[in-house]
Amino acid sequence: MVALGLAIPVRDEELSKYHMQYCEEYKRMKQQRKEEAEADQCLPREKKPKIKKPKMEFPVYEPIAQNQNFDTSEERSMEDLSGSPDRMRSRSDGDVHLRKLKDKEGQRLAAEDNLSDKKLPTDFSTSGGCIVKDMIEMLFSEVPDLQLTATQILRKLLSKGVAHKVFKQNPAIEEVINSAGVLEKLVEFLMSVHSSELQFEAAWALTNIAAGPSKLTTRVVEAGAVPLLIQLLCSTHEDVKEMAVWALGNIAGDGPVFRDYVINCNVLSPLLMLLCPSSNLAITKKAVWTLSNLFRGKNPPPAFEKVSPALPVLSKLLYSSDIDLLVNVCWGLSYLSDGPPGHIQAVISSGVCPRLVTLLMHQEKVAYPALRAVGNILTGSHIQTQMVIDAKIFPILIEIFQNSSFRIKLEAGWAIVNGVCAATPLQIRYMVDVGCIKELCELLIMKDLMIVLDSLRALEYILICGDHAAKKNCTKENPFCVLIEEAKGLDRITALQCHDSPPIYQKAVEIMENFFSADEDENCNRPPQVDQTLKGF
C-alpha cells in the first residue's frame, strides 16, 4: 500500500509513451476542429465598411473600426425658440454601422468557399513557391481550361485568407496578389463573354481581394475592374450578376473616395434595374446592400442628386416581408435623410413615413434603423416635423421608449429630442400633451453625455414656450415647470449643476436660474434632494 501524500514513481519509458499518446490525441482533435471550422466557411459574407472613432467633445458611441474615410462627426445647428443660435444634436455615424461591425463574419463582405468540398490538385495542396509559380503559369496560359482552373484555385486561397484574415500572414496569397499582371489578368477575365464560369470565378476572386485591406481594394480599382463589373450587372447569368453586385459593394464600402468613383461610373441605373419585381431575392438583397454603401458617409456625403433616384424604388421595397431586405432599406433611408432639409423633403416626398411608422413596431433588427431614419427626418424644418406629427409617430415613440430595450430606448429618445428642437411652440404643445416631458427627464440620467446635454436643451425649449404661453395668458406661472417637477426633472437638473462636464452643468445652471429661481430662493436653506435614480440605466 502506498502512503498518502507520496507520489507513485513512473518509469521514463511509460511517461514518454503517455506523452506521445497525449500529443497524438491533441493533434487529432486540433485537426478535427480545423476541418469543422473550414466547413463553416462556405457561404459568402458581407463586407463591412470601416469608420474611425469620431472626434467629438462628448462622444455618443465608440465604433470598433478605424477607417478614417468615414469620420462622421459633422454637427448641425438651428435656432432655438428664443431666436439665439444653438447647436442641435450631434450624432456620430459610428453606431449606424454597428449592424455591420458586430457581425461575427468580420468587417467586409467576403465571398468564401468551402475548401474541403472540392480537393485541390495534388500539386496545389500546399502553399509556397510551387503553388504560386504553377498557378501563375496556368493563369497566363492560352488554354481556357487552365485559366479557369488557376482562377478557381486562386479564389479558394483568397476565400480562406479572408475567412481567417491571413492576407499578410500567408506568403502564397500575398505573393499571388503582388505578382505582376495577376490582378489585371483577373480583370481581363471579366470580359470573357464566351465563358460565364470564368467571369464568375474572376469576379469572385476580385470580390475577396476587395474585401481585404484598403491597399488591395485600391489595386482592384486601379486595375480597371469597376467599369467592367458594372457591365456585368446586365449579364444574362444570375450568378455573375450577383457576384458583380457583391464586388461593387465591397469597393464602395471602402470609403468616400471609391464610393464616389463607383457612383460616377454610372452604377445606379443598372443597379436599380436589378431591383425590379422579377429579380430573384438573393440579387435584390445584395443590390440593396450595395446601395446602402453608396449612400453612406458624411465627410463628404455622396452627391444627393446622383443617389436620390433610388428613393422611389426604396419606398416600394419598404413593403417587403424579407427581414434582411427591410433592414438594408431602412439603413439606406436613414443615410439619405441624414442631411439638410432639402434631402429630408425628398425622403418624405417618396411616401415612406406611413410605412416607417409601422416598422417602428417591428422586431428590433428592423425597428432600430427605422428609428434612425425617423430621427433624422425630425432634424428638418418645422414643416417637415409637422408631416411626421401627422403620421402619428410621436405616440408610438413614447410607447417604444417606455417598453423597449436600452438600444431602442436610446434611439427613440434621440428622435424625441430632435422633434422638440425642430418644433414650433404649437408643435411643442402637442408633444407635451402626448407625454414627451417624462421621457426627456428620464434621458437626464443617461450615461451618454451628448444626449443628456441635448435633453437639457429640449427641456429649455419647452420652458421657453411655457413662458411665452404664460405671458400670452397673463399668468405668472409657467405651465410646464410643474410637469417637469412632477417627472423628477427638477431634482435631476439640480443635480446636474454639479456635473463634471462644463456644458452640462452650465446648461443646468441656466435652466435653474431662468425658470426655477423662485423655487430655489424658497429652498435655499436646505440641501437639494438628489434623485436616487441618477445612477443611470
Side-chain angles (χ1 to χ4, degrees), residues 1-9:
M1 178 178 290
V2 180
L4 294 176
L6 297 178
I8 303 176

Side-chain angles (χ1 to χ4, degrees), residues 206-407:
L206 291 169
T207 297
N208 284 339
I209 295 173
S214 292
K215 65 178 182 180
L216 294 183
T217 309
T218 301
R219 292 191 57 190
V220 171
V221 173
E222 291 175 346
V226 171
L228 296 176
L229 288 168
I230 293 175
Q231 291 180 18
L232 291 181
L233 297 181
C234 301
S235 171
T236 56
H237 301 277
E238 297 289 298
D239 56 349
V240 174
K241 286 194 291 188
E242 182 177 0
M243 197 54 63
V245 171
W246 219 328
L248 290 167
N250 273 0
I251 294 169
D254 188 75
V257 174
F258 291 153
R259 175 205 66 196
D260 291 344
Y261 175 69
V262 173
I263 292 173
N264 291 331
C265 287
N266 300 316
V267 70
L268 196 65
S269 294
L271 195 58
L272 292 178
M273 290 177 63
L274 299 179
L275 299 176
C276 63
S278 59
S279 295
N280 72 57
L281 183 59
I283 291 182
T284 299
K285 291 163 73 171
K286 296 294 186 306
V288 172
W289 169 78
T290 299
L291 277 177
S292 70
N293 275 352
L294 295 176
F295 302 154
R296 282 188 59 236
K298 294 175 62 177
N299 291 319
F304 190 77
E305 66 277 5
K306 293 183 179 180
V307 295
S308 58
L311 276 170
V313 178
L314 292 180
S315 66
K316 294 179 181 178
L317 292 174
L318 203 59
Y319 289 86
S320 170
S321 59
D322 184 83
I323 301 299
D324 293 331
L325 183 60
L326 281 176
V327 169
N328 282 315
V329 171
C330 288
W331 280 121
L333 291 172
S334 74
Y335 301 147
L336 291 173
S337 58
D338 190 5
H343 297 180
I344 294 173
Q345 185 58 49
V347 174
I348 293 175
S349 298
S350 67
V352 300
C353 285
R355 177 59 175 168
L356 285 176
V357 174
T358 304
L359 294 179
L360 294 180
M361 306 301 291
H362 211 287
Q363 60 178 271
E364 183 170 328
K365 187 177 180 181
V366 176
Y368 186 75
L371 271 169
R372 175 58 57 85
V374 169
N376 287 341
I377 292 172
L378 284 169
T379 62
S381 66
H382 66 274
I383 296 176
Q384 292 162 345
T385 300
Q386 186 60 47
M387 294 179 180
V388 177
I389 290 175
D390 292 341
K392 310 296 183 185
I393 284 181
F394 273 91
I396 296 178
L397 289 177
I398 302 296
E399 181 180 351
I400 291 173
F401 187 92
Q402 294 173 349
N403 302 303
S404 299
S405 66
F406 172 79
R407 184 168 178 252

